[in-house]
């Protein structure tokens, strides 16, 4: 695997060079100070300090370096440098070139990184380093659509027209991810938002599917209406966000202070990665076992499912205050096309699949409500409440913590202040409290956590 520390260092040096006056061109929008000949260099650096009353050790691969929310391995108090509390640290380029008759050719490519460790985000690697490690000793981890690729964010080309909309192809965030983050009062913050840290809501049930490879995506606005559609072609490269196809349809309306949206989404062969037990690691070295010969550092267990979701989202803009609310219903079933042992997924990781995880369909419902309030022109306050509710999906119904197949729920309450100093720099601080109940907390070391974070963010 390439040395991501040197990769990030090279990208940062490139940004510094690009920021020199010789890059800024008079032939572009003066607000885009890093634009030349229609190509813009852009980025975000977000770093801070986080405390968890029940947390896990620092990771140089997980999307925030620490588990900002309560997860199964959360255990002891932890204070650490952390990345990406309010938004993903990113370096990228985008461009647009006139094609005539009102049409533009467009492209965009970017990558997400961890300024606290100067490495690329690699969710699967954060899991793999915990293979065979007891739960009480595991480092922070989290599955992600960002798996150490040089372009782990977006990489697409397309055409755009004010009248006919935008058509793009490549690696892109999904319509569902776009709308969930738009209608989340905390804009999918990884330190404070349940739907930001746990990507199932924005990923049609699994966080790897918030961004997908091989996607044809169309969006359009006309009057008060806006919408879009997207389709992921089935695994043409064999190493994709997951091997199956995906489709989504989005329809929305903005009228005065009101904005509403509805999204229908489906994903075949969705993959939720985990960590190998000590016994599973041993099996990788046993001749004749189904996993023999797979590399331990690149092999992970995966729960495979066909997922379908429908989501309703709304916003009311009252001027200084904006109010948000949303509801999503996700249905998980066993895959119609089971995956075989050793299937490669995003980032080239090998999967040991579980194709029979759902004796009955699992229903996950996620709802949230919250607000943003401008205390001053430069100081914003955020408050949000999130609840995730899981149905019982075992052969026998249950509603306690005896099995992860039992029904249960997860509650989060977040409060945040964000002070802006000019256009490019802000300082934020906040806290979120999370608590897990019954089946959703089965196997957890703790049941609740109190997690404040402070940080700084530079956007260029």
């Amino acid at each position: 695997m390439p040395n991501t520390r040197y990769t990030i260092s090279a990208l940062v040096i490139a940004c510094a060079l690009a920021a020199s006056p010789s890059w800024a061109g008079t032939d572009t929008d003066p607000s885009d100070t890093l634009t030349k000949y229609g190509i813009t260099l852009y980025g975000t650096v977000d770093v801070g300090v986080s405390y968890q009353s029940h947390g896990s050790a620092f990771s140089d691969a997980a999307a925030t370096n620490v588990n900002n929310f309560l997860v199964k391995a959360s255990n002891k108090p932890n204070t650490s440098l952390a990345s990406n509390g309010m938004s993903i640290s990113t370096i990228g380029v985008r461009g647009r070139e006139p094609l005539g008759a009102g049409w533009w050719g467009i492209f965009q490519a970017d990558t997400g990184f961890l300024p606290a460790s100067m490495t690329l985000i690699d969710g699967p690697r954060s899991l793999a380093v915990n293979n065979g490690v007891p739960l009480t000793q595991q480092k922070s981890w989290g599955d992600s659509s960002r798996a150490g690729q040089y372009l782990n964010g977006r990489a697409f080309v397309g055409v755009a027209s004010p009248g006919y909309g935008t058509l793009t192809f490549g690696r892109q965030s999904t319509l569902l991810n776009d709308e969930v983050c738009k209608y989340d009062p905390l804009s999918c913050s990884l330190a404070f938002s349940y739907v930001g840290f746990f990507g199932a809501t924005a990923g049609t049930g699994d966080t790897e599917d918030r961004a997908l490879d091989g996607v044809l995506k169309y969006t359009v606005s006309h009057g008060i209406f806006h919408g879009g559609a997207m389709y992921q072609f089935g695994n043409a490269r064999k190493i994709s966000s997951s091997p199956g196809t995906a489709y989504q349809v989005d329809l929305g309306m903005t009228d005065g202070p009101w904005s509403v949206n509805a999204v229908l989404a489906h994903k075949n062969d969705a993959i939720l990665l985990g960590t190998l037990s000590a016994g599973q690691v041993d099996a990788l070295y046993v001749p004749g076992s189904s996993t023999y010969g797979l590399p331990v550092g690149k092999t992970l267990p995966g729960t495979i499912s066909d997922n379908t979701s429908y989501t309703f989202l709304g916003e009311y803009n009252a001027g200084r205050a904006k109010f948000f609310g949303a509801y999503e219903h996700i249905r998980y079933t066993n895959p119609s096309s089971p995956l075989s042992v050793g299937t490669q997924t995003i980032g080239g990781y090998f999967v040991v699949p579980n194709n029979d995880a759902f004796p009955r369909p699992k229903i996950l419902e996620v709802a949230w409500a919250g607000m943003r309030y401008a205390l001053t022109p430069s100081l914003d306050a955020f408050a949000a409440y999130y609840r995730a509710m899981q149905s019982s999906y075992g052969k026998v119904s249950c509603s306690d913590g005896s099995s992860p197949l039992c029904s249960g729920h997860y509650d989060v309450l977040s409060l945040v202040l964000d002070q802006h100093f000019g256009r490019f720099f802000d300082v934020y601080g906040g806290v979120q409290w999370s608590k897990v109940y019954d089946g959703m907390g089965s196997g957890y070391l703790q049941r609740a956590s109190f997690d404040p974070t402070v940080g700084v963010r530079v956007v260029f």
Side-chain angles (χ1 to χ4, degrees):
M1 180 176 179
N3 189 316
T4 52
R5 292 181 184 271
Y6 292 130
T7 299
I8 292 298
S9 298
L11 288 170
V12 171
I13 291 170
C15 287
L17 292 174
S20 66
S22 62
W23 178 266
T26 58
D27 56 338
T28 61
D29 183 343
S31 66
D32 288 329
T33 57
L34 300 183
T35 297
K36 185 73 172 180
Y37 302 123
I39 299 174
T40 299
L41 179 71
Y42 65 92
T44 300
V45 180
D46 185 329
V47 65
V49 177
S50 181
Y51 168 81
Q52 299 86 44
S53 62
H54 297 101
S56 307
F58 181 91
S59 164
D60 68 351
T64 60
N65 294 121
V66 295
N67 286 329
N68 293 90
F69 283 72
L70 185 73
V71 299
K72 185 176 290 188
S74 297
N75 190 15
K76 301 176 181 179
N78 180 60
T79 302
S80 175
L81 281 175
S83 301
N84 306 332
M86 284 293 278
S87 53
I88 297 291
S89 297
T90 302
I91 296 175
V93 293
R94 59 175 174 258
R96 59 200 304 256
E97 181 69 22
L99 302 177
W103 286 90
W104 294 80
I106 59 174
F107 74 88
Q108 187 167 357
D110 58 41
T111 198
F113 66 97
L114 298 158
S117 56
M118 293 303 286
T119 52
L120 295 176
I121 300 171
D122 191 341
R125 185 166 71 85
S126 74
L127 291 162
V129 297
N130 290 308
N131 280 343
V133 177
L135 198 60
T136 56
Q137 300 174 27
Q138 290 185 2
K139 295 182 177 181
S140 295
W141 48 261
D143 196 7
S144 175
S145 60
R146 300 175 186 267
Q149 316 97 311
Y150 283 125
L151 297 176
N152 61 35
R154 291 161 289 193
F156 64 80
V157 297
V159 293
S161 162
Y164 294 97
T166 301
L167 181 67
T168 51
F169 179 77
R171 176 172 172 78
Q172 305 180 68
S173 68
T174 64
L175 292 169
L176 180 59
N177 181 72
D178 296 342
E179 299 300 343
V180 164
C181 294
K182 174 183 174 183
Y183 287 91
D184 176 12
L186 285 159
S187 302
C188 288
S189 158
L190 297 185
F192 307 110
S193 166
Y194 176 91
V195 299
F197 185 84
F198 295 103
T201 309
T204 321
D206 290 305
T207 188
E208 279 195 13
D209 299 323
R210 293 178 65 171
L212 296 170
D213 297 322
V215 166
L216 187 66
K217 180 178 178 181
Y218 175 70
T219 58
V220 65
S221 296
H222 184 73
I224 65 172
F225 297 100
H226 56 271
M230 55 154 278
Y231 183 80
Q232 181 196 26
F233 295 89
N235 200 15
R237 295 193 308 119
K238 281 230 173 221
I239 302 175
S240 183
S241 304
S242 74
T245 58
Y247 61 80
Q248 297 184 6
V249 179
D250 169 37
L251 180 62
M253 180 179 69
T254 300
D255 188 12
W258 290 97
S259 180
V260 294
N261 256 82
V263 184
L264 172 66
H266 179 81
K267 182 72 174 78
N268 288 326
D269 289 331
I271 301 174
L272 174 63
L273 295 177
T275 58
L276 296 173
S277 67
Q280 289 174 312
V281 170
D282 291 341
L284 299 177
Y285 302 101
V286 178
S289 71
S290 62
T291 57
Y292 176 64
L294 295 177
V296 65
K298 296 287 287 186
T299 301
L300 295 165
T303 300
I304 316 303
S305 58
D306 288 351
N307 301 343
T308 303
S309 74
Y310 54 83
T311 308
F312 303 100
L313 313 104
E315 175 190 345
Y316 179 76
N317 187 344
R320 292 179 67 178
K322 293 182 180 180
F323 300 91
F324 303 84
Y327 168 81
E328 180 169 8
H329 179 283
I330 308 170
R331 185 175 187 266
Y332 301 76
T333 62
N334 289 331
S336 54
S337 301
L339 301 187
S340 58
V341 173
T343 297
Q344 279 190 292
T345 185
I346 186 170
Y349 288 85
F350 298 92
V351 179
V352 180
N354 179 358
N355 295 301
D356 302 297
F358 304 101
R360 290 183 293 155
K362 170 185 169 181
I363 305 299
L364 178 65
E365 298 171 281
V366 183
W368 66 91
M371 67 175 295
R372 300 177 192 168
Y373 187 79
L375 296 171
T376 72
S378 61
L379 177 62
D380 294 322
F382 305 78
Y385 170 70
Y386 305 85
R387 169 167 279 202
M389 300 161 285
Q390 170 186 293
S391 70
S392 176
Y393 59 98
K395 292 181 179 180
V396 178
S397 294
C398 54
S399 57
D400 53 32
S402 61
S403 167
L405 281 65
C406 296
S407 63
H409 62 278
Y410 193 118
D411 283 337
V412 173
L413 179 63
S414 297
L415 299 170
V416 182
L417 291 174
D418 187 11
Q419 174 67 57
H420 291 265
F421 297 92
R423 179 180 161 206
F424 303 106
F425 178 73
D426 64 303
V427 176
Y428 60 86
V431 62
Q432 59 81 14
W433 167 85
S434 54
K435 187 171 183 178
V436 66
Y437 301 81
D438 301 323
M440 288 193 77
S442 180
Y444 276 53
L445 297 175
Q446 303 291 337
R447 289 293 182 271
S449 189
F450 176 80
D451 306 309
T453 298
V454 295
V456 297
R457 178 172 51 175
V458 178
V459 180
F460 57 89

